[in-house]
């Protein structure tokens, strides 16, 4: 992730401190700035876009006169600006090439900043770091994202995998480690990339429930940031999970959870 700055705004009469790493985009509605952050929250403040740009620093791109977007949040640019969280924004089409050039420059700088820091350098160092995960009854892996020349996430490399992951993927452990996903699975489905990219770049903890055509299995995946440029993934075969409800509170919790995931008011369920 890029170096975070903290900015202070007044929203709803309250002082709010935001990290620039959590801001996806800012949209001006007349004289009100709507600040959209990861996780779905929107903060409204009476501040000009120019003043906010000064506070935010160089990690943002103006896509039209009333909107700036975090370069880190952009997944790709087509006829719209497509964000890693699934949202799409309109932009000034005649400035497409200029916006793409800015994006490439800013994302290149961001990816260079990943560095190694305390990241393990060898497979043996990864094994030592994650030794406590070897005997877990569920699959776990640490993956390093691969970005192309356009700075888009296009693949990942398994830097650590436990025996449970090898069993789930139906591939020997020694073949998994240090191999890219596309090398192991020629039928790679790119739908996983956007979520892993979000976890890697924004530090989000995300849950994915989807079908994996690569291993013909319905999966529940929880991904989260680990080292710079990496994310960790916990994977479950959904057919092997049994739901235990032990109280009325458990039922209420499930209703709340489903409502939150589907953006439905839990009282309506």
């Amino acid at each position: 992730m890029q170096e975070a700055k903290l900015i202070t705004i007044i929203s709803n009469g309250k002082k709010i401190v935001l990290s620039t790493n959590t801001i996806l985009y800012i949209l001006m509605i007349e004289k009100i700035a709507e600040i959209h952050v990861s996780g779905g929250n929107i903060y409204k403040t009476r501040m000009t876009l120019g003043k906010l740009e000064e506070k935010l620093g160089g990690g943002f791109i103006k896509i039209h006169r009333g909107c700036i977007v975090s370069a880190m949040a952009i997944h790709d640019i087509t006829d719209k600006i497509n964000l890693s969280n699934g949202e799409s924004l309109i932009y000034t089409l005649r400035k497409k090439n200029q916006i793409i050039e800015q994006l490439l420059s800013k994302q290149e700088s961001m990816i260079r900043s990943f560095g190694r820091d305390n990241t393990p350098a060898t497979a043996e160092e990864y094994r030592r770091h994650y030794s406590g995960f070897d005997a877990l009854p569920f699959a776990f892996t640490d993956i390093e994202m691969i970005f192309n020349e356009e700075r888009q996430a296009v693949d990942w490399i398994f830097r650590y995998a436990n025996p449970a992951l090898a069993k789930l993927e139906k591939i020997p452990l020694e073949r998994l480690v240090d191999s890219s996903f596309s090398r192991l699975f020629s039928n790679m489905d790119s739908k996983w990339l956007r979520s892993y990219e979000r976890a890697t770049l924004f530090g989000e903890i995300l849950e994915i429930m989807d079908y994996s055509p690569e291993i013909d299995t319905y999966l529940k995946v929880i991904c989260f940031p680990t080292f710079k440029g990496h994310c960790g993934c916990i994977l479950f075969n959904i057919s092997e999970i049994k739901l235990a409800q032990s109280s009325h509170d458990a039922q209420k919790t499930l209703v709340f959870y489903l409502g939150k995931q589907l953006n439905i008011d839990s009282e309506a369920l």
Side-chain angles (χ1 to χ4, degrees):
M1 291 180 285
Q2 64 189 17
E3 197 67 31
K5 293 176 62 178
L6 298 178
I7 67 168
T8 302
I9 62 168
I10 302 297
S11 181
N12 248 358
K14 297 179 181 179
K15 184 181 288 188
I16 305 292
V17 178
L18 298 174
S19 168
T20 54
N21 272 350
T22 67
I23 297 174
L24 300 174
Y25 63 94
I26 299 174
L27 186 64
M28 293 300 299
I29 307 295
E30 296 183 346
K31 295 184 179 181
I32 302 297
E34 288 189 352
I35 303 176
H36 295 246
V37 303
S38 58
N41 289 332
I42 302 172
Y43 298 96
K44 296 181 180 181
T45 187
R46 187 174 286 273
M47 191 179 296
T48 67
L49 198 60
K51 189 67 175 177
L52 283 165
E53 284 184 283
E54 289 178 17
K55 287 176 172 284
L56 292 171
F60 289 76
I61 299 171
K62 181 176 282 188
I63 62 171
H64 62 71
R65 62 182 298 178
C67 185
I68 57 175
V69 183
S70 168
M72 191 167 63
I74 298 175
H75 180 72
D76 60 22
I77 298 176
T78 55
D79 58 333
K80 292 186 178 180
I81 304 286
N82 302 306
L83 306 185
S84 57
N85 71 342
E87 290 187 72
S88 295
L89 303 171
I90 61 171
Y91 67 99
T92 304
L93 285 172
R94 60 185 170 79
K95 293 187 176 180
K96 181 175 183 177
N97 290 337
Q98 179 184 338
I99 291 172
I100 289 175
E101 286 178 11
Q102 289 182 61
L103 176 64
L104 294 180
S105 174
K106 291 178 187 295
Q107 289 191 334
E108 181 178 18
S109 175
M110 175 186 67
I111 292 168
R112 275 203 312 265
S113 75
F114 283 164
R116 295 215 64 87
D117 290 342
N118 297 319
T119 307
T122 65
E124 180 56 36
E125 288 185 14
Y126 278 102
R127 281 196 297 271
R128 285 200 299 268
H129 181 81
Y130 287 117
S131 60
F133 290 73
D134 289 345
L136 290 177
F138 52 80
F140 172 78
T141 182
D142 183 301
I143 62 175
E144 179 179 1
M145 301 305 297
I146 299 174
F147 296 86
N148 65 11
E149 291 181 358
E150 285 72 41
R151 319 308 177 229
Q152 297 170 0
V154 293
D155 204 348
W156 65 85
I157 297 172
F158 294 98
R159 292 305 186 191
Y160 167 83
N162 67 359
L165 182 75
K167 179 181 177 182
L168 180 66
E169 303 283 6
K170 304 178 181 70
I171 291 177
L173 192 58
E174 58 272 16
R175 280 190 60 207
L176 270 176
V177 175
D178 287 339
S179 291
S180 68
F181 191 78
S182 63
R183 177 183 173 190
L184 296 169
F185 298 99
S186 59
N187 62 334
M188 174 184 180
D189 193 323
S190 62
K191 65 188 174 187
W192 308 102
L193 283 167
R194 182 168 285 192
S195 295
Y196 296 162
E197 184 181 36
R198 282 176 64 186
T200 299
L201 299 181
F202 270 94
E204 292 188 84
I205 300 173
L206 301 171
E207 181 180 61
I208 313 158
M209 291 192 186
D210 212 327
Y211 173 70
S212 170
E214 300 89 352
I215 56 175
D216 189 24
T217 303
Y218 288 93
L219 294 176
K220 171 180 175 177
V221 181
I222 299 172
C223 58
F224 49 91
T226 52
F227 304 103
K228 284 187 176 181
H230 291 234
C231 78
C233 301
I234 299 171
L235 302 91
F236 301 92
N237 181 339
I238 289 178
S239 68
E240 297 175 354
I241 299 176
K242 295 181 180 179
L243 180 64
Q245 295 190 55
S246 55
S247 68
H248 178 64
D249 283 340
Q251 295 178 5
K252 288 170 60 179
T253 302
L254 181 60
V255 169
F256 172 76
Y257 169 81
L258 292 174
K260 186 173 184 293
Q261 302 310 311
L262 299 173
N263 293 318
I264 300 173
D265 185 340
S266 60
E267 293 184 0
L269 291 175

